[in-house]
Amino acid sequence: MKNTFGQSMSVTLFGESHGAAVGVVIDGIAPGIPVIPEQIERQLQRRRPASSIDTPRREQDPFQILSGVFEGHTTGTPLCISIPNENTRSKDYCYGLARPAHADYTAHCKYHGFEDFRGGGHFSGRITAALSAAGGILIPALRNIGITIGTHILTCGQVKDRAFADAAADIELLQGRSFPVLEEACAETMTQEIQQARMDCDSIGGIIQTAVCGVAPGLGEPWFDSVESQLSHAMFSLGGVKGIEFGMGFDVANHRGSFCNDAMRMQDGRMYTETNHNGGINGGITNGMPIVFQCAVKPTPSIAQTQKTVDFIKNENADINIHGRHDPAILRRICPVADSVTAIVLCDLLAQRYGTDYLAKGREGSCSTV
Amino acid sequence: MKNTFGQSMSVTLFGESHGAAVGVVIDGIAPGIPVIPEQIERQLQRRRPASSIDTPRREQDPFQILSGVFEGHTTGTPLCISIPNENTRSKDYCYGLARPAHADYTAHCKYHGFEDFRGGGHFSGRITAALSAAGGILIPALRNIGITIGTHILTCGQVKDRAFADAAADIELLQGRSFPVLEEACAETMTQEIQQARMDCDSIGGIIQTAVCGVAPGLGEPWFDSVESQLSHAMFSLGGVKGIEFGMGFDVANHRGSFCNDAMRMQDGRMYTETNHNGGINGGITNGMPIVFQCAVKPTPSIAQTQKTVDFIKNENADINIHGRHDPAILRRICPVADSVTAIVLCDLLAQRYGTDYLAKGREGSCSTV
Amino acid sequence: MKNTFGQSMSVTLFGESHGAAVGVVIDGIAPGIPVIPEQIERQLQRRRPASSIDTPRREQDPFQILSGVFEGHTTGTPLCISIPNENTRSKDYCYGLARPAHADYTAHCKYHGFEDFRGGGHFSGRITAALSAAGGILIPALRNIGITIGTHILTCGQVKDRAFADAAADIELLQGRSFPVLEEACAETMTQEIQQARMDCDSIGGIIQTAVCGVAPGLGEPWFDSVESQLSHAMFSLGGVKGIEFGMGFDVANHRGSFCNDAMRMQDGRMYTETNHNGGINGGITNGMPIVFQCAVKPTPSIAQTQKTVDFIKNENADINIHGRHDPAILRRICPVADSVTAIVLCDLLAQRYGTDYLAKGREGSCSTV
Amino acid sequence: MKNTFGQSMSVTLFGESHGAAVGVVIDGIAPGIPVIPEQIERQLQRRRPASSIDTPRREQDPFQILSGVFEGHTTGTPLCISIPNENTRSKDYCYGLARPAHADYTAHCKYHGFEDFRGGGHFSGRITAALSAAGGILIPALRNIGITIGTHILTCGQVKDRAFADAAADIELLQGRSFPVLEEACAETMTQEIQQARMDCDSIGGIIQTAVCGVAPGLGEPWFDSVESQLSHAMFSLGGVKGIEFGMGFDVANHRGSFCNDAMRMQDGRMYTETNHNGGINGGITNGMPIVFQCAVKPTPSIAQTQKTVDFIKNENADINIHGRHDPAILRRICPVADSVTAIVLCDLLAQRYGTDYLAKGREGSCSTV
């Protein structure tokens, strides 16, 4: 469905980098979910460029809730959040000269020259502000029913954070981190790595790792709506993501079944596995263990070096020097976006499985209909 | 949509390993596509266990076309293929004892004990015969309009095939391979690797690599229906797949932007890139270069060793010894399935973009409606 | 989604009148629903041509359950029922001469001559056997959770049955009727009306009325998935249906608001309305009163008179004389189909609202996941 | 999909009557469609309360285009239009006392008391302003490719307009009408009828009739996405619509097949029918004749009389006297909305059939991708 994701609870994205606004419509959300502006603001703040390692473009994200909230709670009808664009400098962009590894050329082919090319238009990372705003409602709602989500930078260039160990505790640990890493020292070394890339007029990629705790076993739909299918579908909407793996992921290629299989044990009537090589998912369905996955995030395509490219208007080879304000790495800023995207997927899976009211279970309702 | 994938052209899967049949309904396929039983049979034959490295279970797959084909061509209405199950030995399975890394436990949690557990039921790799049958129609149809698809085993245990180089030529090369590798010698060494795993009462995983040639630039839909989103969604329906990456994939974490960005060049009015680190996709949209992706395939969970598990009926720890007939590696057999799944995704993307008749473009029609 | 209907629980139809089989895949049905062959057979028998007023074509409908049922219950995975075609006489049909008011010409325009034209192909009423088979599972399942459905012929030519009064009781009354009318005497007079039409080499239409009891208030989704939207969408899949109205329907045009508004009353904590002019639905959402709607069913297009038509192969005017075996009215046979379609819609609406397990609520499950 | 309609081109609605704004996101629209504010304004103006027969609530609808338009044309990415609410008087509403035939009670049951009840909230006719704004883009776009749409009031209380005769000419005739009727004299008599209802503290219903010209044969998808299915689905999203019929509609019950069947003729290689009793649709697919359908519109539920109702907070019977500003008939204002809804359905059907670029066919593109 193009810019709409989700079957029971869905989100629809709109907006361009240099247009009037970016935004999101959340439909099918349970009525009675608290909507706390500070939580939306916090999630927006987490993805906002803030320090020396991010783009100097200042985004204040003064979001507006246009619908779907009444007296501080979701109504159950579509919730639209609009985030007006400010501080845009369209003169940084001109048409025809494709930025390598960006969507300039492909958008041109798809939209025949009618695309809003300024700042990447609809393909801009700016749209992830809308995803983050949605997360500002959904992540706390999931927490209310015992589901927590956290994402950290696993590798940033040559610097490596440790992987999730006790996922539940590690997620809580991340709540207090302004730089999303588990090993606190990595904040400093990763920042240096990113600054070095900037000084080299270059950019760096890395891997982020996400964990979800508290999901009951039995969630997911074979064949095509496996939990992996849903999460990967949503995560690959982010332009910088070029790979996703669950549990051991690609490392399964280096091991045998006797290693990859997670030994199952029963404790107090609950199944757990001694290892979590399958990332909490078997046959596309949750098994009650933490859902763990890694995403490969490519280096920011915009770099301050002359690059070989094409002018697709003149149909000829050209060189390009990209000016403007760009992040040498989006790793820090993509973490809260990954949390938000994960929350969207889970809210939808839960609503599909347990019904549209499930996300608000536990809240007092004034009418019993079943 | 659970067991249905695709928005304009869709496939719906049904069946259990030890039930009456497995099958597929293809809906929205263009009318006038040739349906050649030998091509379906060939695709089924490619995934069939055949040699010393596969399960000794013999599957003859005598498929039946129940609808949607008339005088050798698709009608445009739903095309149902049913593949009756034969040679099933249900006594190999008993209920309650979960096979580690299989869906036994998760299916139990989801279906509350009503699932057909025999042979993995609906979670069995047997269902991929239905996907392959669909591929037997769609892969040739895509070839007719200039789009070719090929999948080979990139790594099998410790043995490595070379990666796609000239993708178009390599895809043709794979047409003649009974064992899907580019370096012919790998057939022998990989077979040995698999046999060794069997002798060790173990199983091995690996990585498969798929390439698609001939796709015009401009295919794919931001944000949520990027080409990566669609392909990953479909590929993760396969139980053994635990990771997917496009182009360089996870290797982007080891490189800088100046390396990862593909230099763009214009030749004879067509854009190409000097490298293809982005796997033919920028911003979720095809750029005209070959689409290339890798999938991590885990070792077959069923191994002939005693494993720690749970009995989820008795709610207690248990040991399990899996008998029955199982592949020590599904790498060879999953390649034609990957081709088929890729074909399904592309046919749907093309139909969404260019309309329901596109797949049959070039065929003579008797009525002009536009 | 073309031949697939439903968002949480969906049905996919396949088949042609003179092909190998017609059938249905039900996906997303709750696990643990009893599947009783006699109930499927009964529903098929209700739509089967049986008496002097129907086509002499004999259909035995020896259905096969290909998947999704294990030990007498739904597994929760796709349930495929195939009904092989028998007793087909393809020589009754030739290509190019369009039967007026049939889909011959429109199918030709859509499928460019590749459609299976024999007996109407995929447009044949024969496909409704598959819908009826689905009803044979879903209607009893709904009854198990307190929801009952009934359809009767409200008008057949000039003969009028009474409308639903006490809908719950009237639905039970219809269970015992071989000819679906509330006033028993109508069976005789309607049969005469139909026989008269046949003797006149003509056919007749009428109106059917459907009621659903036991639906809790609060079901339905604004704006686009109102209960009326969903039911009308599904009912208009039946080729003979040319109108649908809820409650008073078109008669609202003859009355004022003071009459059309249903006075609301509270009794024992439950709301009811003194009249049911809105057919149990306000603002697209159920209000707890019986859902009542009427469908206009056109006279069977195939009549034994010479008709003016076109030959769309020769592109010229022509006369057509339709031979073959046809019903002079489909009113009796469409009633069980309407019940089945209604059941499909309700099962999906319930699954969307209350989750995928809801239809089986009350059954014993062996695992508690929430 | 709740508040989203359409599979290839979709619209998503949001907003409440007394919230910050109502709006619409159009996704999947072809790039290059002219977006002319005056045309949007004209469509909004047509549905705006304007005269003595409408609510005295003044709506200026100062719409804002938040995204999806660049240099006067659609970009092909989501187009969001927001219409801020003004002139709201929330004190006219209180909670618990259900207005009969409104969604107050059903919304309460569905949303458990969290719904924004002011002015009907999300169920308010106010949301149709967003649909109309979408129509302001889509209706002219369809006209550019030869498809025209018109809706008139067929009956208003006891006053009857003539039905469409030469549909193409009648649609043009309606372009010049401020009161949407074919017989100009009906404007006066219908206005009197409505004013009389107001003086009687009552409201009146009626029937509207819509025609679409210029649709090629072959559009529509059996079984479940027939043209009737799609149009009825969308039209029943409008709260006041209680019935829909195509062509003769319910009148088929009064006639025989020899009358209802439309005789087919060939002229200059094009098929036409001598009558259009089937409303341009056979077997769910367009036949090239005008699509014609009628919708029953119920009298406005809000009337200035004491009505029996319930207080669903106190769980007791009550009387209600509705104050506030209400239309005694929505017939005039619903006509442009019906045009807009019809345009949405057609644009989606065309995009499904012919691809996402079809709506802009004929426009100059700067890149050829196929």
Side-chain angles (χ1 to χ4, degrees), chain C residues 60-83:
Chain C
Q60 288 305 324
D61 312 321
F63 65 90
Q64 301 165 356
I65 297 176
L66 298 185
S67 66
V69 178
F70 183 52
E71 297 182 347
H73 293 79
T74 56
T75 57
T77 53
L79 194 166
C80 181
I81 302 178
S82 172
I83 309 175

PDB file of all heavy atoms in Angstrom, chain C residues 60-83:
ATOM      1  N   GLN C  60     -23.681 -32.504  -8.228  1.00  0.00           N
ATOM      2  CA  GLN C  60     -23.622 -33.302  -6.999  1.00  0.00           C
ATOM      3  C   GLN C  60     -22.639 -32.722  -5.997  1.00  0.00           C
ATOM      4  O   GLN C  60     -22.692 -33.046  -4.826  1.00  0.00           O
ATOM      5  CB  GLN C  60     -23.261 -34.766  -7.312  1.00  0.00           C
ATOM      6  CG  GLN C  60     -24.404 -35.517  -7.988  1.00  0.00           C
ATOM      7  CD  GLN C  60     -25.711 -35.468  -7.190  1.00  0.00           C
ATOM      8  OE1 GLN C  60     -25.704 -35.491  -5.982  1.00  0.00           O
ATOM      9  NE2 GLN C  60     -26.835 -35.344  -7.886  1.00  0.00           N
ATOM     10  N   ASP C  61     -21.735 -31.874  -6.467  1.00  0.00           N
ATOM     11  CA  ASP C  61     -20.843 -31.156  -5.563  1.00  0.00           C
ATOM     12  C   ASP C  61     -20.097 -32.063  -4.587  1.00  0.00           C
ATOM     13  O   ASP C  61     -20.159 -31.858  -3.370  1.00  0.00           O
ATOM     14  CB  ASP C  61     -21.630 -30.115  -4.740  1.00  0.00           C
ATOM     15  CG  ASP C  61     -22.539 -29.249  -5.575  1.00  0.00           C
ATOM     16  OD1 ASP C  61     -22.132 -28.863  -6.683  1.00  0.00           O
ATOM     17  OD2 ASP C  61     -23.637 -28.959  -5.112  1.00  0.00           O
ATOM     18  N   PRO C  62     -19.415 -33.069  -5.078  1.00  0.00           N
ATOM     19  CA  PRO C  62     -18.684 -33.931  -4.132  1.00  0.00           C
ATOM     20  C   PRO C  62     -17.403 -33.234  -3.684  1.00  0.00           C
ATOM     21  O   PRO C  62     -16.334 -33.488  -4.192  1.00  0.00           O
ATOM     22  CB  PRO C  62     -18.375 -35.169  -4.972  1.00  0.00           C
ATOM     23  CG  PRO C  62     -18.263 -34.650  -6.380  1.00  0.00           C
ATOM     24  CD  PRO C  62     -19.114 -33.408  -6.482  1.00  0.00           C
ATOM     25  N   PHE C  63     -17.566 -32.336  -2.729  1.00  0.00           N
ATOM     26  CA  PHE C  63     -16.450 -31.464  -2.337  1.00  0.00           C
ATOM     27  C   PHE C  63     -15.312 -32.244  -1.677  1.00  0.00           C
ATOM     28  O   PHE C  63     -15.525 -33.289  -1.067  1.00  0.00           O
ATOM     29  CB  PHE C  63     -16.943 -30.367  -1.394  1.00  0.00           C
ATOM     30  CG  PHE C  63     -17.435 -30.878  -0.087  1.00  0.00           C
ATOM     31  CD1 PHE C  63     -16.565 -31.006   0.991  1.00  0.00           C
ATOM     32  CD2 PHE C  63     -18.763 -31.234   0.089  1.00  0.00           C
ATOM     33  CE1 PHE C  63     -17.012 -31.474   2.208  1.00  0.00           C
ATOM     34  CE2 PHE C  63     -19.219 -31.708   1.298  1.00  0.00           C
ATOM     35  CZ  PHE C  63     -18.347 -31.835   2.352  1.00  0.00           C
ATOM     36  N   GLN C  64     -14.111 -31.683  -1.796  1.00  0.00           N
ATOM     37  CA  GLN C  64     -12.929 -32.245  -1.148  1.00  0.00           C
ATOM     38  C   GLN C  64     -12.280 -31.165  -0.290  1.00  0.00           C
ATOM     39  O   GLN C  64     -12.071 -30.060  -0.765  1.00  0.00           O
ATOM     40  CB  GLN C  64     -11.916 -32.705  -2.209  1.00  0.00           C
ATOM     41  CG  GLN C  64     -12.446 -33.744  -3.164  1.00  0.00           C
ATOM     42  CD  GLN C  64     -11.558 -33.897  -4.399  1.00  0.00           C
ATOM     43  OE1 GLN C  64     -10.587 -33.162  -4.568  1.00  0.00           O
ATOM     44  NE2 GLN C  64     -11.901 -34.854  -5.243  1.00  0.00           N
ATOM     45  N   ILE C  65     -11.960 -31.507   0.943  1.00  0.00           N
ATOM     46  CA  ILE C  65     -11.221 -30.577   1.794  1.00  0.00           C
ATOM     47  C   ILE C  65      -9.745 -30.883   1.605  1.00  0.00           C
ATOM     48  O   ILE C  65      -9.270 -31.953   1.965  1.00  0.00           O
ATOM     49  CB  ILE C  65     -11.644 -30.717   3.263  1.00  0.00           C
ATOM     50  CG1 ILE C  65     -13.129 -30.338   3.403  1.00  0.00           C
ATOM     51  CG2 ILE C  65     -10.767 -29.836   4.157  1.00  0.00           C
ATOM     52  CD1 ILE C  65     -13.693 -30.523   4.791  1.00  0.00           C
ATOM     53  N   LEU C  66      -9.041 -29.936   0.988  1.00  0.00           N
ATOM     54  CA  LEU C  66      -7.638 -30.195   0.646  1.00  0.00           C
ATOM     55  C   LEU C  66      -6.672 -29.822   1.769  1.00  0.00           C
ATOM     56  O   LEU C  66      -5.542 -30.294   1.802  1.00  0.00           O
ATOM     57  CB  LEU C  66      -7.249 -29.424  -0.621  1.00  0.00           C
ATOM     58  CG  LEU C  66      -7.993 -29.780  -1.907  1.00  0.00           C
ATOM     59  CD1 LEU C  66      -7.408 -29.011  -3.085  1.00  0.00           C
ATOM     60  CD2 LEU C  66      -7.938 -31.280  -2.182  1.00  0.00           C
ATOM     61  N   SER C  67      -7.120 -28.968   2.681  1.00  0.00           N
ATOM     62  CA  SER C  67      -6.195 -28.489   3.715  1.00  0.00           C
ATOM     63  C   SER C  67      -6.959 -27.781   4.818  1.00  0.00           C
ATOM     64  O   SER C  67      -8.142 -27.454   4.666  1.00  0.00           O
ATOM     65  CB  SER C  67      -5.184 -27.511   3.112  1.00  0.00           C
ATOM     66  OG  SER C  67      -5.852 -26.335   2.691  1.00  0.00           O
ATOM     67  N   GLY C  68      -6.296 -27.561   5.923  1.00  0.00           N
ATOM     68  CA  GLY C  68      -6.832 -26.691   6.958  1.00  0.00           C
ATOM     69  C   GLY C  68      -7.763 -27.336   7.954  1.00  0.00           C
ATOM     70  O   GLY C  68      -8.293 -26.647   8.832  1.00  0.00           O
ATOM     71  N   VAL C  69      -7.995 -28.622   7.821  1.00  0.00           N
ATOM     72  CA  VAL C  69      -8.858 -29.321   8.767  1.00  0.00           C
ATOM     73  C   VAL C  69      -8.084 -30.522   9.300  1.00  0.00           C
ATOM     74  O   VAL C  69      -7.461 -31.253   8.538  1.00  0.00           O
ATOM     75  CB  VAL C  69     -10.165 -29.791   8.102  1.00  0.00           C
ATOM     76  CG1 VAL C  69     -11.035 -30.567   9.091  1.00  0.00           C
ATOM     77  CG2 VAL C  69     -10.930 -28.599   7.543  1.00  0.00           C
ATOM     78  N   PHE C  70      -8.112 -30.706  10.602  1.00  0.00           N
ATOM     79  CA  PHE C  70      -7.386 -31.809  11.221  1.00  0.00           C
ATOM     80  C   PHE C  70      -8.243 -32.325  12.370  1.00  0.00           C
ATOM     81  O   PHE C  70      -8.684 -31.552  13.217  1.00  0.00           O
ATOM     82  CB  PHE C  70      -6.027 -31.303  11.722  1.00  0.00           C
ATOM     83  CG  PHE C  70      -5.138 -32.365  12.315  1.00  0.00           C
ATOM     84  CD1 PHE C  70      -4.861 -33.551  11.626  1.00  0.00           C
ATOM     85  CD2 PHE C  70      -4.557 -32.179  13.569  1.00  0.00           C
ATOM     86  CE1 PHE C  70      -4.025 -34.513  12.176  1.00  0.00           C
ATOM     87  CE2 PHE C  70      -3.719 -33.143  14.111  1.00  0.00           C
ATOM     88  CZ  PHE C  70      -3.462 -34.318  13.427  1.00  0.00           C
ATOM     89  N   GLU C  71      -8.510 -33.592  12.331  1.00  0.00           N
ATOM     90  CA  GLU C  71      -9.326 -34.226  13.366  1.00  0.00           C
ATOM     91  C   GLU C  71     -10.639 -33.477  13.575  1.00  0.00           C
ATOM     92  O   GLU C  71     -11.073 -33.251  14.711  1.00  0.00           O
ATOM     93  CB  GLU C  71      -8.529 -34.335  14.667  1.00  0.00           C
ATOM     94  CG  GLU C  71      -7.309 -35.247  14.483  1.00  0.00           C
ATOM     95  CD  GLU C  71      -6.491 -35.461  15.742  1.00  0.00           C
ATOM     96  OE1 GLU C  71      -6.707 -34.724  16.715  1.00  0.00           O
ATOM     97  OE2 GLU C  71      -5.635 -36.375  15.730  1.00  0.00           O
ATOM     98  N   GLY C  72     -11.256 -33.070  12.466  1.00  0.00           N
ATOM     99  CA  GLY C  72     -12.597 -32.516  12.537  1.00  0.00           C
ATOM    100  C   GLY C  72     -12.711 -31.059  12.907  1.00  0.00           C
ATOM    101  O   GLY C  72     -13.815 -30.543  13.086  1.00  0.00           O
ATOM    102  N   HIS C  73     -11.577 -30.367  13.029  1.00  0.00           N
ATOM    103  CA  HIS C  73     -11.611 -28.953  13.385  1.00  0.00           C
ATOM    104  C   HIS C  73     -10.695 -28.157  12.467  1.00  0.00           C
ATOM    105  O   HIS C  73      -9.743 -28.699  11.907  1.00  0.00           O
ATOM    106  CB  HIS C  73     -11.138 -28.752  14.831  1.00  0.00           C
ATOM    107  CG  HIS C  73     -12.057 -29.334  15.839  1.00  0.00           C
ATOM    108  ND1 HIS C  73     -12.076 -30.681  16.129  1.00  0.00           N
ATOM    109  CD2 HIS C  73     -13.008 -28.759  16.632  1.00  0.00           C
ATOM    110  CE1 HIS C  73     -12.995 -30.919  17.066  1.00  0.00           C
ATOM    111  NE2 HIS C  73     -13.575 -29.774  17.380  1.00  0.00           N
ATOM    112  N   THR C  74     -10.990 -26.881  12.373  1.00  0.00           N
ATOM    113  CA  THR C  74     -10.075 -26.007  11.645  1.00  0.00           C
ATOM    114  C   THR C  74      -8.741 -25.968  12.385  1.00  0.00           C
ATOM    115  O   THR C  74      -8.697 -25.987  13.620  1.00  0.00           O
ATOM    116  CB  THR C  74     -10.619 -24.576  11.558  1.00  0.00           C
ATOM    117  OG1 THR C  74     -10.885 -24.107  12.881  1.00  0.00           O
ATOM    118  CG2 THR C  74     -11.889 -24.520  10.731  1.00  0.00           C
ATOM    119  N   THR C  75      -7.677 -25.895  11.578  1.00  0.00           N
ATOM    120  CA  THR C  75      -6.346 -25.800  12.176  1.00  0.00           C
ATOM    121  C   THR C  75      -5.952 -24.342  12.414  1.00  0.00           C
ATOM    122  O   THR C  75      -5.053 -24.057  13.192  1.00  0.00           O
ATOM    123  CB  THR C  75      -5.293 -26.394  11.218  1.00  0.00           C
ATOM    124  OG1 THR C  75      -5.381 -25.698   9.972  1.00  0.00           O
ATOM    125  CG2 THR C  75      -5.538 -27.877  10.990  1.00  0.00           C
ATOM    126  N   GLY C  76      -6.597 -23.439  11.705  1.00  0.00           N
ATOM    127  CA  GLY C  76      -6.215 -22.028  11.754  1.00  0.00           C
ATOM    128  C   GLY C  76      -5.369 -21.637  10.559  1.00  0.00           C
ATOM    129  O   GLY C  76      -5.130 -20.464  10.329  1.00  0.00           O
ATOM    130  N   THR C  77      -4.928 -22.613   9.805  1.00  0.00           N
ATOM    131  CA  THR C  77      -4.180 -22.338   8.574  1.00  0.00           C
ATOM    132  C   THR C  77      -5.150 -22.491   7.396  1.00  0.00           C
ATOM    133  O   THR C  77      -6.285 -22.924   7.577  1.00  0.00           O
ATOM    134  CB  THR C  77      -2.950 -23.272   8.484  1.00  0.00           C
ATOM    135  OG1 THR C  77      -3.365 -24.623   8.647  1.00  0.00           O
ATOM    136  CG2 THR C  77      -1.952 -22.922   9.581  1.00  0.00           C
ATOM    137  N   PRO C  78      -4.739 -22.107   6.184  1.00  0.00           N
ATOM    138  CA  PRO C  78      -5.712 -22.007   5.086  1.00  0.00           C
ATOM    139  C   PRO C  78      -6.492 -23.298   4.836  1.00  0.00           C
ATOM    140  O   PRO C  78      -5.914 -24.372   4.733  1.00  0.00           O
ATOM    141  CB  PRO C  78      -4.835 -21.646   3.880  1.00  0.00           C
ATOM    142  CG  PRO C  78      -3.671 -20.948   4.463  1.00  0.00           C
ATOM    143  CD  PRO C  78      -3.405 -21.639   5.769  1.00  0.00           C
ATOM    144  N   LEU C  79      -7.775 -23.115   4.731  1.00  0.00           N
ATOM    145  CA  LEU C  79      -8.691 -24.226   4.525  1.00  0.00           C
ATOM    146  C   LEU C  79      -9.154 -24.167   3.073  1.00  0.00           C
ATOM    147  O   LEU C  79      -9.845 -23.230   2.672  1.00  0.00           O
ATOM    148  CB  LEU C  79      -9.873 -24.063   5.493  1.00  0.00           C
ATOM    149  CG  LEU C  79     -10.826 -25.223   5.736  1.00  0.00           C
ATOM    150  CD1 LEU C  79     -11.692 -24.942   6.961  1.00  0.00           C
ATOM    151  CD2 LEU C  79     -11.680 -25.533   4.528  1.00  0.00           C
ATOM    152  N   CYS C  80      -8.733 -25.143   2.291  1.00  0.00           N
ATOM    153  CA  CYS C  80      -9.112 -25.146   0.874  1.00  0.00           C
ATOM    154  C   CYS C  80     -10.143 -26.225   0.613  1.00  0.00           C
ATOM    155  O   CYS C  80      -9.957 -27.386   0.991  1.00  0.00           O
ATOM    156  CB  CYS C  80      -7.890 -25.379  -0.015  1.00  0.00           C
ATOM    157  SG  CYS C  80      -8.307 -25.355  -1.779  1.00  0.00           S
ATOM    158  N   ILE C  81     -11.232 -25.820  -0.002  1.00  0.00           N
ATOM    159  CA  ILE C  81     -12.255 -26.775  -0.443  1.00  0.00           C
ATOM    160  C   ILE C  81     -12.310 -26.718  -1.963  1.00  0.00           C
ATOM    161  O   ILE C  81     -12.440 -25.642  -2.544  1.00  0.00           O
ATOM    162  CB  ILE C  81     -13.644 -26.436   0.132  1.00  0.00           C
ATOM    163  CG1 ILE C  81     -13.594 -26.405   1.662  1.00  0.00           C
ATOM    164  CG2 ILE C  81     -14.687 -27.439  -0.354  1.00  0.00           C
ATOM    165  CD1 ILE C  81     -14.921 -26.017   2.309  1.00  0.00           C
ATOM    166  N   SER C  82     -12.196 -27.861  -2.568  1.00  0.00           N
ATOM    167  CA  SER C  82     -12.299 -27.954  -4.018  1.00  0.00           C
ATOM    168  C   SER C  82     -13.549 -28.754  -4.364  1.00  0.00           C
ATOM    169  O   SER C  82     -13.843 -29.768  -3.735  1.00  0.00           O
ATOM    170  CB  SER C  82     -11.051 -28.660  -4.574  1.00  0.00           C
ATOM    171  OG  SER C  82     -11.208 -28.935  -5.948  1.00  0.00           O
ATOM    172  N   ILE C  83     -14.285 -28.268  -5.345  1.00  0.00           N
ATOM    173  CA  ILE C  83     -15.486 -28.968  -5.796  1.00  0.00           C
ATOM    174  C   ILE C  83     -15.307 -29.267  -7.280  1.00  0.00           C
ATOM    175  O   ILE C  83     -15.456 -28.374  -8.121  1.00  0.00           O
ATOM    176  CB  ILE C  83     -16.755 -28.114  -5.574  1.00  0.00           C
ATOM    177  CG1 ILE C  83     -16.817 -27.603  -4.129  1.00  0.00           C
ATOM    178  CG2 ILE C  83     -18.004 -28.904  -5.944  1.00  0.00           C
ATOM    179  CD1 ILE C  83     -17.983 -26.654  -3.855  1.00  0.00           C
TER     180      ILE C  83
END
